[in-house]
Amino acid sequence: MLRVLVVDDQALVRRGFAMVLSNEPDIEVVAEAGDGIEAIDAARTHKPDVILMDIRMPELDGLESTARILTEVGDETRIIILTTFDPDEYIYRALRAGASGFVLKDIPPETLVAAVRTVAAGGAMLDPTITRRLIARFAGELGTEQDYGERLDRLTVREREVLEAIADGKSNVEIADALFIGPATVKTHVSSVLSKLGLRDRAQAVVFAYECGLAKVGARDVGF
Amino acid sequence: MLRVLVVDDQALVRRGFAMVLSNEPDIEVVAEAGDGIEAIDAARTHKPDVILMDIRMPELDGLESTARILTEVGDETRIIILTTFDPDEYIYRALRAGASGFVLKDIPPETLVAAVRTVAAGGAMLDPTITRRLIARFAGELGTEQDYGERLDRLTVREREVLEAIADGKSNVEIADALFIGPATVKTHVSSVLSKLGLRDRAQAVVFAYECGLAKVGARDVGF
DNA sequence: TCGCGCCTCCCCTAAAAGGTGGAGGCCGGC
DNA sequence: GCCGGCCTCCACCTTTTAGGGGAGGCGCGA
């Protein structure tokens, strides 16, 4: 059962969203709040799975409220930002604040419900126009058309496995252990990885792995 | 009426998607293609509004095909990339190639239909996990910055500079050169970075730098 | 069947990296 | 003034890497 908190200063809007969500068998609206302060209190009290958060509110706006809930209360709660108007001015702040969703209030009810389920499952849901903008920004950032994949393709399967292990911060001995082979073999593989990719040492190999997408930020725990 | 081209090397899958879409009153499947070459030809001939493009195909894969259609045929056509498996390895290339959507094949039919209408209207539709990744990348930090930031704060300014240089793939000598200090000094800094952060070697330091956001994917050129 | 690529392991050497301890200079707070 | 943190360097030592060989086994296609 997904536990949802609805935050909006307009009682009618609030009730509308709450009713739409309550109609779903797997969703329960555990509380409502009329401003940012109430929202933080309610988040602390009820620990909802998802919060629907309006931006324009008295006392404390939805973005500030979002940031404070995620840092002070806990980041297990997923927050979807709702807005009536043009998202331009808010979207960047919202994403930085840690929102998992950003949608316009005029979306159809089933989309809202889908958004709640999506963010609860760890995904993110943005308004399509925002997604497009993010993509454009992202694609623009990656200026050079170099295809690192091609360089990766030159590696054998085993070598790629070794490279992944290197990008995991493992030493040769640890790699040998993980792949059930001898340390000498690992050294052989490491050498061919470096020479095939034109790298000098394993540190550069780690950089390469991250840059070409073989290693992904957030996909691991830096515990070492 | 939205004119759609369906591209997939598996005829059954292709027909399935085509039938789902054809059931919609405002959508018409104008052509189907079984590989990337056929896709380009069909795009040139029919000028569809939206193309559903599988990635894995003989001759020319979906990503290459996407890039060529957008550059050679025209960019009025919106392209949605479909994949069965883990999107991680393809997503960066897909977005760079200019795709407007990237979804897994296991989405419910109504979502697929919604995706087609969304991208045709100028929006973008990504799988929720990808959206989340994009947001994380955009925000640059997102939670993890808190934890790792604390560990980063233990470093002095100079040590952080050295760590950045390490994350750039530089050797100790190169770092000394870049910072106008002696190699021995670099070794001192490297040692304190490793011990302060609880890391074993510079490869782990590179991993740490990427994970905590000190180094960012795409912010550099892997030329070495 | 023969070759070829891949995986496995061994030898050797040289270079780089990491650990420890110490030293001097500089600056800011107590 | 004195102390402490920071930056700068040095020397000595051990461990880890990287490079260059070679070699056997195995599967697969010519």
Side-chain angles (χ1 to χ4, degrees):
Chain A
M1 183 69 105
L2 294 178
R3 304 171 63 255
V4 179
L5 165 64
V6 178
V7 185
D8 198 306
D9 62 327
Q10 294 174 289
L12 269 180
V13 175
R14 206 162 65 217
R15 294 318 310 248
F17 285 129
M19 286 183 64
V20 166
L21 294 176
S22 297
N23 267 344
E24 299 298 314
D26 58 334
I27 296 178
E28 175 190 9
V29 176
V30 294
E32 299 180 18
D35 62 51
I37 305 291
E38 286 182 28
I40 295 175
D41 289 342
R44 212 185 301 273
T45 306
H46 297 284
K47 301 271 184 186
D49 298 302
V50 177
I51 301 178
L52 287 186
M53 178 82 75
D54 187 29
I55 288 187
R56 297 198 181 189
M57 286 185 301
E59 299 300 329
L60 196 65
D61 75 19
L63 300 179
E64 188 63 32
S65 179
T66 294
R68 286 178 53 180
I69 288 174
L70 290 176
T71 57
E72 297 172 17
V73 180
D75 57 359
E76 310 85 30
T77 297
R78 307 293 184 181
I79 299 180
I80 299 176
I81 301 288
L82 295 168
T83 185
T84 311
F85 303 108
D86 186 35
D88 277 4
E89 42 187 329
Y90 300 119
I91 176 61
Y92 296 128
R93 281 180 58 205
L95 296 187
R96 273 191 234 282
S100 295
F102 196 108
V103 297
L104 300 183
K105 283 188 185 172
D106 63 1
I107 55 170
E110 56 268 28
T111 304
L112 177 66
V113 173
V116 169
R117 293 203 183 96
T118 296
V119 302
M125 175 78 89
L126 301 181
D127 184 85
T129 62
I130 296 172
T131 302
R132 172 151 283 283
R133 210 167 315 161
L134 261 193
I135 292 175
R137 195 188 171 92
F138 173 84
E141 276 179 12
L142 299 174
T144 52
E145 265 305 311
Q146 291 182 259
D147 196 359
Y148 303 133
E150 281 179 16
R151 288 165 79 178
L152 259 188
D153 285 345
R154 292 208 283 267
L155 301 183
T156 67
V157 176
R158 207 52 164 167
E159 286 162 353
R160 203 156 26 233
E161 288 174 3
V162 170
L163 177 53
E164 282 182 48
I166 291 176
D168 217 48
K170 288 188 168 72
S171 70
N172 287 341
V173 175
E174 288 171 340
I175 296 173
D177 224 45
L179 299 184
F180 303 106
I181 56 180
T185 310
V186 176
K187 288 176 53 117
T188 305
H189 290 315
V190 171
S191 282
S192 36
V193 167
L194 296 181
S195 94
K196 281 186 181 177
L197 298 180
L199 308 173
R200 182 184 45 197
D201 52 41
R202 59 205 304 110
Q204 291 193 343
V206 175
V207 173
F208 181 88
Y210 272 96
E211 294 295 335
C212 79
L214 189 68
K216 293 170 284 281
V217 174
R220 72 185 313 293
D221 213 21
V222 187
F224 290 125
Chain B
M1 186 69 105
L2 294 178
R3 304 171 65 254
V4 179
L5 165 64
V6 178
V7 184
D8 197 307
D9 61 329
Q10 293 174 291
L12 270 180
V13 175
R14 207 163 61 217
R15 293 320 307 248
F17 286 129
M19 285 181 65
V20 166
L21 294 175
S22 296
N23 268 343
E24 299 297 314
D26 57 335
I27 295 178
E28 175 190 9
V29 176
V30 294
E32 298 180 18
D35 63 51
I37 305 291
E38 286 181 28
I40 295 175
D41 288 342
R44 213 186 299 273
T45 306
H46 297 284
K47 301 274 185 183
D49 298 302
V50 177
I51 301 177
L52 287 187
M53 178 84 72
D54 187 30
I55 288 187
R56 296 199 179 188
M57 286 186 301
E59 301 298 331
L60 197 64
D61 74 18
L63 299 178
E64 188 63 31
S65 179
T66 294
R68 285 176 54 178
I69 288 174
L70 291 177
T71 57
E72 296 172 16
V73 179
D75 58 358
E76 310 84 29
T77 296
R78 307 294 184 180
I79 299 179
I80 298 176
I81 301 289
L82 294 169
T83 185
T84 311
F85 305 106
D86 186 32
D88 286 347
E89 42 188 326
Y90 300 119
I91 177 63
Y92 295 110
R93 285 179 59 203
L95 295 187
R96 252 184 300 167
S100 295
F102 196 108
V103 296
L104 299 183
K105 282 188 183 172
D106 63 1
I107 55 170
E110 56 268 28
T111 305
L112 178 66
V113 173
V116 169
R117 293 204 182 95
T118 296
V119 302
M125 176 79 86
L126 301 181
D127 184 84
T129 63
I130 296 171
T131 302
R132 172 143 220 96
R133 195 179 292 274
L134 261 194
I135 292 176
R137 182 194 168 83
F138 170 81
E141 63 263 17
L142 201 64
T144 56
E145 237 259 60
Q146 309 294 331
D147 315 331
Y148 303 140
E150 283 177 16
R151 288 165 78 177
L152 260 187
D153 285 345
R154 293 208 281 269
L155 301 184
T156 67
V157 176
R158 205 51 161 169
E159 285 161 356
R160 208 166 9 241
E161 288 174 5
V162 170
L163 177 54
E164 282 182 50
I166 290 175
D168 217 48
K170 289 188 168 72
S171 70
N172 287 341
V173 175
E174 287 170 341
I175 295 173
D177 225 44
L179 299 184
F180 303 106
I181 56 180
T185 308
V186 176
K187 288 180 57 130
T188 303
H189 290 316
V190 171
S191 282
S192 35
V193 166
L194 296 182
S195 91
K196 281 186 181 177
L197 298 180
L199 308 172
R200 184 183 44 197
D201 52 41
R202 59 205 302 110
Q204 290 194 344
V206 175
V207 174
F208 182 88
Y210 272 97
E211 293 295 335
C212 79
L214 189 67
K216 291 196 205 319
V217 174
R220 72 185 311 294
D221 212 23
V222 187
F224 290 126

